[in-house]
Amino acid sequence: MGRGEREAVARGARLYEAAQAVGADHGRAVEAVRAALKPIHDAEVARELDAIPVARLQDVTEGRLRLGNVEKSGLGTVGRVLEAGPYRLRQIPGVGQRTVDQIIAAARRLSEAVHETVAVHIDVDRPEPGTTALVGALHVLVEAGPDARRAVDRAAALSERLGPLLADAGPVTGHLRMLLAGREKKARALAAVAGIRSLVDEAEQAGVPELLAQASVDLLRGSPSDVTAWVDFELRSAEYYSLLAEISGRQPDAAAAEGFLPDEIAERVRTQQLDDAHRRVSLRGYQAFGARFALAQRKVILGDEMGLGKTIQAIAVLAHLAAEGQSHFLVVCPASVLVNWTREIEARSALRVMVLHGPDRHHAFADWKGRGGVGVTTFDALRGLPVPGGGEVGLLVVDEAHSVKNPRTKRSQAVARWTERCERSLFMTGTPMENRVAEFRTLVRMLDDKVADSLGERDALAGSVAFRKAVAPVYLRRNQDDVLTELPSLQQTDEWEELSASDEEAYREAVREGNFMAMRRAAYLRPEKSAKLDRLREIVQEAAENGQKAVVFSYFRDVLGVVQAELAEGPTAGTPMLGPLTGSVPAGRRQQIVDDFAAITGPAVLLAQIQAGGVGLNMQAASVVIICEPQIKPTLEHQAVARAHRMGQVRPVHVHRLLATGGVDERMVRMLESKTRLFDAYARRSAVAEATPDAVDVSDTELARRIVEEEQARLGMADGKPTPAE
């Protein structure tokens, strides 16, 4: 055997060692999480058991136990019984060995049930050594990101294939071994060398050695400083909780995560592959299932409740199809979320994205048609774009699909034409549609005539077995309560909007005057054509459709007045509205308003000045928070959000910060983000900072002056005289 064979085996051995190392590094990182989780989980279980009265053991044994003497002895809870043990129980008068055995067996059954169901809550406001260790251990895996998971999967596959080949190729590593090997072993060794060479070449062409090396580096970084880990947890809590659920094995109920689909459809979806080569975000189990559902069923409606990540699931589908060789995709959405879509695709995938909107949309369309990528357009702009030929577009995504439920509108007709020409379509809506069979049938008909024809009025009852079975081929909806296994998380979304022409005109006037405060609220000065107000109304309406309460914060009383007037009309008119809470409302009256808000059954809206409602009032009845403009003091936003995201909140809190592109909002966000994140986090946890926010925030006057001067220069108004303070 020559040098070439030995070198091929050596290359295979190096790749095998790298794969084994990645697996071991990842295993150690996972074990570190489990080690940190166990004492916290055990303590939670103990607390839970100590809160269960010993009388509950009767339920487990169908009332056969006599527990009077046990309770009289001071063992009043299941936790105390388990702690006492058999010997202590036998000392109780009137309690025999058989009763002791039954009590212990029943208590252990309850303990096992609690172990399976109790969830660990990571309290960012009260960091303890145990939870700090857990967050630090999780940080290593979260920071390593999807590439590390991809590397671990590749490493496992390579190890499985290379291990046997390297064993069979052993004789070629030495002349004597090859001479002593029999004919069969020699043939097997040569075949193994060919297999190793092919595997290594394929891996090197795909960049696998570099992927494995980087993953090992990332997984061996070790835990960061405590403050760094906590800051990152605040920013990416959903990723931490997702990993925690996966490692602890406490995943949501499988049937709920799969939308209670019939077995034959669910099985088809489970076997659907999902390529993540072009994706830059990890998926939760139910999100991966949603993406597979869209791929397996080809034309579907994803109706997940707001906040479950429909956009991420759509991006996962786009990334998979791109990996399969598809080149052209189109996303259709309201103008208010167009910027969000482009930013999400850029951040969450490696796909090229192009906006097909505005005066240059036809040139952009020609460029997209020639070069490919993900085109993002609006419902109105879609009407002016030429309908593609069959097979040209790999996937059509229609966001806020309930907007096209009326077949007589031009936008609905345009979407229907495009859907007909596309082999795959993904309609998305967070608005529950089950009770609106006529409207729902319109959407379904664009995707599948047969399913639409099968929907009768008798199936209208939401969640009915008949309805779910009828729509299962095209419709998947999951609810937060069913699939989010952790305690309520905090999800923050920056809602970037493009100013309308009217908004832009009002903004320029404020810049020309050098009036910083007017610049901040310019997007609301002309409500009839306000892009921010349009998006705010959509968020409130979707929250109401899902039975959620919303709180709207603004620094400005006049902005709240505009919001109040706008929400009192149109689709949101029927939603109860309270406030506004302002600095002039007495403290006692403020609390009464909040109490009234909490007492309302179903959706409601509370309006509040952020400086008045952000301190001292508990608004945990709200699970949707809308901040109308970025604040000069970051502490104002943190305190306001904390009013809703606190103990007693039973649903995840979704924070929407309304931001306008290209002006004061972007400059404020950029300047405030340039401050050290660690300092901000430390200050937020400081008792002094909570009492005196001014102590840790940048100077209002200095920040305002800089922004006004930069905006005047950008817009060619450098001679203006800024008046930042009002």
Side-chain angles (χ1 to χ4, degrees):
M1 287 294 100
R3 182 181 299 173
E5 284 75 12
R6 291 194 296 275
E7 176 57 28
V9 174
R11 288 169 64 207
R14 288 193 295 270
L15 186 60
Y16 181 76
E17 288 173 6
Q20 290 280 289
V22 166
D25 295 338
H26 183 261
R28 280 190 290 271
V30 169
E31 282 306 312
V33 172
R34 288 185 175 138
L37 174 63
K38 188 177 187 306
I40 303 173
H41 183 256
D42 288 347
E44 290 287 344
V45 170
R47 275 193 288 272
E48 187 80 13
L49 291 172
D50 214 35
I52 300 175
V54 72
R56 282 283 305 279
L57 297 178
Q58 293 280 15
D59 301 335
V60 181
T61 60
E62 298 179 353
R64 293 193 303 270
L65 287 175
R66 296 179 180 178
L67 300 168
N69 289 343
V70 175
E71 291 181 276
K72 289 176 183 177
S73 72
L75 304 181
T77 69
V78 175
R80 297 288 300 277
V81 166
L82 287 168
E83 185 181 351
Y87 178 79
R88 170 75 175 82
L89 288 170
R90 280 197 298 269
Q91 308 309 307
I92 300 172
V95 178
Q97 184 61 50
R98 182 179 178 185
T99 301
V100 169
D101 292 342
Q102 290 176 332
I103 289 173
I104 292 296
R108 285 175 177 165
R109 284 172 62 187
L110 269 178
S111 177
E112 290 169 2
V114 171
H115 265 88
E116 291 297 320
T117 57
V118 75
V120 168
H121 173 49
I122 300 175
D123 192 342
V124 73
D125 294 320
R126 296 178 181 82
E128 299 173 352
T131 52
T132 298
L134 177 58
V135 170
L138 285 167
H139 177 84
V140 174
L141 290 164
V142 171
E143 191 68 13
D147 282 346
R149 172 57 60 84
R150 193 175 298 118
V152 170
D153 291 342
R154 292 286 182 88
L158 276 174
S159 294
E160 186 177 351
R161 296 175 67 185
L162 274 174
L165 290 174
L166 287 169
D168 287 344
V172 306
T173 58
H175 291 295
L176 183 59
R177 291 185 65 185
M178 197 64 176
L179 286 172
L180 295 176
R183 182 180 300 175
E184 185 179 339
K185 282 190 176 181
K186 287 180 181 178
R188 193 160 61 242
L190 291 174
V193 169
I196 291 169
R197 185 179 286 120
S198 175
L199 264 180
V200 174
D201 287 346
E202 179 185 333
E204 289 179 348
Q205 288 174 7
V208 173
E210 293 81 7
L211 179 69
L212 299 181
Q214 185 61 54
S216 280
V217 169
D218 292 337
L219 291 167
L220 291 173
R221 289 188 195 280
S223 299
S225 72
D226 294 347
V227 176
T228 301
W230 278 111
V231 170
D232 195 57
F233 174 77
E234 286 190 71
L235 294 173
R236 298 191 282 179
S237 62
E239 294 181 45
Y240 281 76
Y241 274 121
S242 177
L243 261 175
L244 189 60
E246 180 182 329
I247 292 172
S248 67
R250 287 172 182 80
Q251 298 287 358
D253 177 73
E258 295 175 354
F260 302 100
L261 293 177
D263 290 342
E264 65 274 13
I265 296 178
E267 183 58 32
R268 185 184 315 132
V269 174
R270 292 184 205 114
T271 58
Q272 168 67 48
Q273 295 299 308
L274 187 61
D275 195 307
D276 63 355
H278 296 299
R279 180 163 31 94
R280 294 176 179 153
V281 61
S282 297
L283 301 179
R284 293 190 173 205
Y286 74 86
Q287 291 173 334
F289 186 87
R292 288 187 171 96
F293 176 78
L295 290 166
Q297 299 300 101
R298 306 185 75 83
K299 291 190 175 186
V300 300
I301 301 170
L302 181 60
D304 285 347
E305 190 176 12
M306 181 170 60
L308 293 183
K310 292 187 289 294
T311 302
I312 289 174
Q313 294 175 66
I315 290 172
V317 178
L318 292 167
H320 173 91
L321 293 173
E324 284 193 338
Q326 295 284 347
S327 58
H328 291 72
F329 312 97
L330 189 71
V331 174
V332 187
C333 61
S336 58
V337 295
L338 186 143
V339 175
N340 281 337
W341 265 103
T342 59
R343 295 190 180 204
E344 283 292 297
I345 293 169
E346 289 171 344
R348 312 287 188 179
S349 77
L351 304 178
R352 177 176 181 264
V353 60
M354 173 161 279
V355 175
L356 311 180
H357 179 65
D360 295 329
R361 62 183 177 277
H362 293 293
H363 294 295
F365 181 82
D367 183 53
W368 168 75
K369 192 167 184 179
R371 299 173 60 193
V374 184
V376 183
T377 191
T378 64
F379 288 108
D380 291 336
L382 181 71
R383 291 160 48 192
L385 300 180
V387 179
E392 289 183 22
V393 177
L395 176 70
L396 172 69
V397 178
V398 181
D399 193 13
E400 305 291 350
H402 52 271
S403 300
V404 294
K405 60 183 180 289
N406 184 350
R408 292 186 293 274
T409 63
K410 292 182 179 179
R411 64 166 51 183
S412 297
Q413 292 164 6
V415 168
R417 285 194 295 271
W418 274 75
T419 303
E420 186 180 1
R421 295 295 184 90
C422 296
E423 292 185 5
R424 296 179 183 273
S425 299
L426 173 57
F427 286 14
M428 295 163 47
T429 175
T431 301
M433 300 292 292
E434 290 94 329
N435 283 325
R436 308 170 186 180
V437 174
E439 296 175 355
F440 190 82
R441 190 188 290 114
T442 298
L443 293 182
V444 172
R445 191 168 299 284
M446 294 186 197
L447 306 172
D448 192 315
D449 280 332
K450 291 182 180 178
V451 174
D453 290 339
S454 73
L455 288 179
E457 297 299 329
R458 58 185 174 78
D459 298 328
L461 185 62
S464 72
V465 174
F467 178 84
R468 285 197 177 273
K469 185 175 181 180
V471 301
V474 299
Y475 183 60
L476 177 67
R477 178 175 172 85
R478 280 78 56 90
N479 298 318
Q480 291 173 344
D481 292 343
D482 291 333
V483 298
L484 292 183
T485 57
E486 74 271 11
L487 289 176
S489 63
L490 177 65
Q491 300 180 24
Q492 305 192 57
T493 303
D494 283 347
E495 303 275 358
W496 288 96
E497 314 298 332
E498 291 184 358
L499 292 176
S500 67
S502 180
D503 291 335
E504 185 71 33
E505 186 178 345
Y507 180 73
R508 284 176 169 271
E509 289 178 9
V511 174
R512 188 176 294 108
E513 295 169 0
N515 190 327
F516 178 66
M517 293 300 191
M519 289 162 59
R520 291 182 61 200
R521 59 183 187 268
Y524 300 93
L525 292 179
R526 301 177 181 180
E528 65 278 3
K529 295 182 179 178
S530 168
K532 278 192 178 183
L533 270 177
D534 286 346
R535 182 58 184 148
L536 188 150
R537 193 184 298 107
E538 290 172 359
I539 296 169
V540 169
Q541 184 178 354
E542 186 168 355
E545 294 278 4
N546 285 286
Q548 296 172 300
K549 289 184 171 69
V551 58
V552 180
F553 287 114
S554 175
Y555 185 84
F556 304 101
R557 293 178 64 172
D558 56 349
V559 168
L560 291 175
V562 170
V563 171
Q564 187 173 31
E566 288 298 304
L567 293 182
E569 299 178 0
T572 57
T575 304
M577 188 161 31
L578 292 85
L581 291 173
T582 67
S584 62
V585 177
R589 177 59 185 151
R590 291 186 209 177
Q591 186 60 59
Q592 185 59 52
I593 292 173
V594 172
D595 292 344
D596 293 343
F597 175 66
I600 294 173
T601 302
V605 180
L606 175 64
L607 307 176
Q609 265 190 299
I610 198 163
Q611 61 271 45
V615 180
L617 295 173
N618 297 334
M619 301 176 180
Q620 61 263 43
S623 55
V624 175
V625 176
I626 303 170
I627 300 175
C628 291
E629 70 285 317
Q631 305 304 306
I632 298 175
K633 296 179 175 66
T635 46
L636 279 179
E637 291 189 17
H638 299 313
Q639 290 171 347
V641 171
R643 296 309 102 204
H645 187 247
R646 60 189 299 108
M647 190 176 296
Q649 175 60 256
V650 296
R651 301 189 73 178
V653 176
H654 307 284
V655 181
H656 301 265
R657 185 165 61 155
L658 302 180
L659 303 168
T661 58
V664 62
D665 288 2
E666 273 201 351
R667 293 191 182 277
M668 285 182 69
V669 169
R670 187 165 63 248
M671 287 182 179
L672 294 173
E673 284 179 348
S674 68
K675 297 172 63 180
T676 306
R677 290 195 320 172
L678 299 184
F679 176 77
D680 279 350
Y682 177 80
R684 285 204 302 277
R685 295 193 185 89
S686 161
V688 175
E690 288 294 315
T692 56
D694 291 335
V696 296
D697 283 303
V698 294
S699 162
D700 295 8
T701 305
E702 177 60 24
L703 177 66
R705 180 179 292 112
R706 287 166 57 193
I707 290 176
V708 171
E709 289 175 352
E710 289 178 10
E711 281 300 278
Q712 287 180 335
R714 181 178 71 88
L715 298 175
M717 306 172 186
D719 294 335
K721 297 179 180 180
T723 56
E726 278 197 0

